Structure formats: C-alpha cells, structure tokens
Amino acid sequence: MGLFGLFNKKKKETLDQGLEKTKQNVFNKLARAVAGKSQVDDDVLDNLEEVLISSDVGVDTTLKIIGRIEARVARDKYVSTSELHNILKDEIASLLTENRSEDNDNWDLPADHRPYVVLVVGVNGVGKTTTIGKLAYQFKAAGKKVYLGAADTFRAAAVEQISIWGERVGVPVVRQQMGSDPASVAFDTLQSAKANGADVVLIDTAGRLHNKVGLMNELKKIKDVMKKVEPSAPDEVLLVLDGSTGQNAFEQAKQFAAVTQITSLAITKLDGTAKGGVVIGISDQLKVPVKYIGLGEKMEDLQLFNRREFVDSLF
C-alpha cells in the first residue's frame, strides 16, 4: 500500500472512531426499529422517523428522508429490512449532494488568485480559534503559505489563543491591542499577506450573538475594508459549530445565517457526542455545504468532509 493509501486508511479509521458514539446510538435504535420485521412497512417507517429525530437529524430533514424511503418502497413494492441500512446511506448521501456538500479529499485552493481569504465566524466556545489553528496546520502541511488575523479583539484571551496557535503551527499572526477595530486588523492582515505572497488568509472574528445588529455591522465593515485590499475578499465565510450541542448548533447556524452570508460549515467535537446526525440536518436546512468536521484534539483530527465516507461510517 502506498503512502497515499495509508493516509486515506488512517483518515477513515479516525472518522470511524470519531463517529463511534453516534454510530452506536443510531445502530442500536435502528435495530430496535426493525426488530421482528422482515419488510419495511408503515410501522418500520414510524420507528425510523423516531430514530432519526432522536439522533438530532431534525424534524424537517427527517420527514424529507422518510418521504424518499416511502417513495422507494412504493416503487419497488417490497423492500426488506435488511436493505434499510444501504437505502438510508444512499438517500442521505444524495441529500447531502443536493445541499452542495462534496467529497473533499485534498487541501487544494482555487488556482485563479492568491491569497484565498477565509472569514471565520461562530460563537465563543465552539472551537472556532482551535479550528483556525488546525486549518493553518493542514494548509501549511499541504505546502501553502498561511497568515492568521486576530480580529476577535473583544476578548484578550482570543488574541492570545490565536497567537499561541500561530507559534505552534509556525505561521505569522497579525494582531493589535485588545479593543482595536476588528476591521483594521483584517485590513492589516490582508495587506501583509499580499505583500508577502501568502496563499491563504484565515481571519478570526468575535463570537458574539447577543447583539445581532452590532455583529452584522462589524462583519460588514470587515468585509468592506478587506475589499479595499482584495476586491474578491472574503472568498469564504466559514461558520464553526459545536456538533455536541445538537439542535442548539442548528439554532446558532440560523442566527448567523440571518446576519451574514455563510458559504461553508465546520462542525466540531463530533468525537465526544452521540449527536453526529446534526451534520445532516444543518446542511439540509441551511443549504450550506459542510466542509470540515472535527473528530478529536490532534492537529490531524480536523478532516475535510466527505459525504460518502461520513454516511458510511455513520451507518
């Protein structure tokens, strides 16, 4: 087996281990849902609906999945319960495809311009700054030149945390004093990154939601100021969510989507929870692709999201 094959095998093992709690939760409930049944009928579908909702897939997304399976049963006339796992995998993978969640396998960036600018948003405590640090590590490991911007100037701890990550990964961090204008930090970061030929820029932002108007204005100002340096910036607005909070993560996602345009999602802390089904519901309801998932503490435990591998590990 070549080096690339070994890497993919290790990645899949990490994914399987990271989703173990969710998998056991879903698998045990699914086994009870089909107990004593040889054919998928109304009772099995009712039980399956309960399984998906209780696994934090969400009501609306669950009803959509059940509707797809009902259509399949009606078309094929007879569907055995032994086929249910594969049918679920097919339908959920198909749903994720429709929501633009792709099978990402490498850390390549668009080749049309540099630097590629990612504005990272999310409430405090979801692993936002840690995700930025891990992203910086992954991009650097892929041979990219990375700059970090400490634009969460609302908390001194946030600036300190991202600075520590910069030292750990070995990438420059642009920072100012606590209380500085976040837009000014973003401007300086992008200007410095362009001057030094950076490939990717990751901008941290304050994780406040108690004042939506203030947050919206702050994010708009950051975007407007960056466009003075690079008209295409930001290329991506990445929302980081804590998967262990289940439906609360979905509520946070809706609130952020209401104040700024989210283009991609990173869902963290999936290794410590049985609520991994929330990945499916959030992607479906927001129509925003999941791009990264967090499966542990190590730098390598942030993975590019691959819908097929995710669904295969889950079921």
Side-chain angles (χ1 to χ4, degrees):
M1 184 183 290
L3 183 62
F4 188 71
L6 285 170
F7 174 77
N8 277 345
K9 183 180 179 184
K10 178 70 167 63
K11 178 188 171 189
K12 187 61 167 62
E13 287 173 356
T14 301
L15 181 62
D16 288 344
Q17 291 166 8
L19 293 176
E20 184 64 29
K21 289 185 178 180
T22 297
K23 181 171 65 176
Q24 288 301 324
N25 179 42
V26 173
F27 186 80
N28 291 338
K29 290 177 179 177
L30 203 54
R32 290 195 294 271
V34 300
K37 295 279 190 177
S38 60
Q39 180 180 354
V40 175
D41 57 17
D42 288 343
D43 286 341
V44 169
L45 289 173
D46 286 344
N47 291 338
L48 178 59
E49 183 178 317
E50 187 177 328
V51 168
L52 294 174
I53 290 173
S54 64
S55 300
D56 280 271
V57 173
V59 175
D60 292 340
T61 302
T62 291
L63 293 177
K64 196 177 291 186
I65 294 168
I66 295 297
R68 287 167 176 249
I69 295 175
E70 282 179 333
R72 198 153 167 173
V73 170
R75 183 187 69 219
D76 297 344
K77 305 303 180 188
Y78 180 89
V79 174
S80 69
T81 52
S82 62
E83 296 176 82
L84 194 55
H85 267 80
N86 287 333
I87 291 172
L88 263 175
K89 287 200 290 188
D90 287 347
E91 295 301 338
I92 291 174
S94 175
L95 195 65
L96 289 168
T97 303
E98 291 168 17
N99 300 326
R100 298 186 294 129
S101 287
E102 300 171 355
D103 291 341
N104 299 297
D105 292 310
N106 57 59
W107 296 83
D108 284 347
L109 296 167
D112 55 351
H113 73 279
R114 291 288 187 273
Y116 188 81
V117 183
V118 183
L119 186 65
V120 186
V121 301
V123 301
N124 297 329
V126 297
K128 179 163 53 76
T129 309
T130 300
T131 297
I132 291 171
K134 289 179 179 179
L135 277 174
Y137 168 81
Q138 300 269 14
F139 279 123
K140 188 180 179 186
K144 311 300 181 187
K145 189 171 184 179
V146 184
Y147 267 65
L148 304 182
D152 181 358
T153 58
F154 185 67
R155 296 183 306 129
V159 176
E160 188 63 29
Q161 188 183 6
I162 198 169
S163 298
I164 291 170
W165 270 106
E167 291 176 12
R168 188 181 300 172
V169 177
V171 299
V173 178
V174 177
R175 57 184 287 181
Q176 294 181 10
Q177 292 181 338
M178 180 184 170
S180 300
D181 183 359
S184 174
V185 178
F187 181 88
D188 287 351
T189 304
L190 191 47
Q191 199 168 50
S192 182
K194 281 198 73 171
N196 289 283
D199 296 299
V200 58
V201 176
L202 305 169
I203 305 285
D204 193 12
T205 61
R208 291 167 287 161
L209 260 181
H210 63 269
N211 182 349
K212 294 182 188 179
V213 174
L215 177 68
M216 181 169 59
N217 291 340
E218 185 173 289
L219 292 175
K220 182 179 184 302
K221 185 177 179 183
I222 289 173
K223 290 178 180 178
D224 289 345
V225 165
M226 284 197 297
K227 287 185 187 302
K228 294 178 181 178
V229 184
E230 179 57 58
S232 64
D235 298 281
E236 189 174 336
V237 180
L238 175 67
L239 173 62
V240 181
L241 298 166
D242 179 350
S244 69
T245 61
Q247 289 303 298
N248 285 337
F250 178 49
E251 290 304 315
Q252 285 178 18
K254 285 198 298 186
Q255 290 182 56
F256 266 98
V259 299
T260 192
Q261 184 179 7
I262 308 298
T263 62
S264 60
L265 302 171
I267 303 182
T268 66
K269 307 181 186 181
L270 290 174
D271 55 308
T273 181
K275 299 180 177 182
V278 74
V279 173
I280 301 163
I282 288 174
S283 173
D284 175 54
Q285 294 301 303
L286 288 187
K287 298 295 184 286
V288 174
V290 177
K291 193 165 186 178
Y292 310 103
I293 51 175
L295 299 161
E297 297 297 323
K298 298 194 293 292
M299 298 267 204
E300 301 84 358
D301 290 340
L302 181 72
Q303 288 192 6
L304 286 161
F305 183 71
N306 182 301
R307 60 188 169 84
R308 283 285 173 189
E309 289 182 355
F310 177 84
V311 175
D312 183 60
S313 292
L314 195 60
F315 291 99

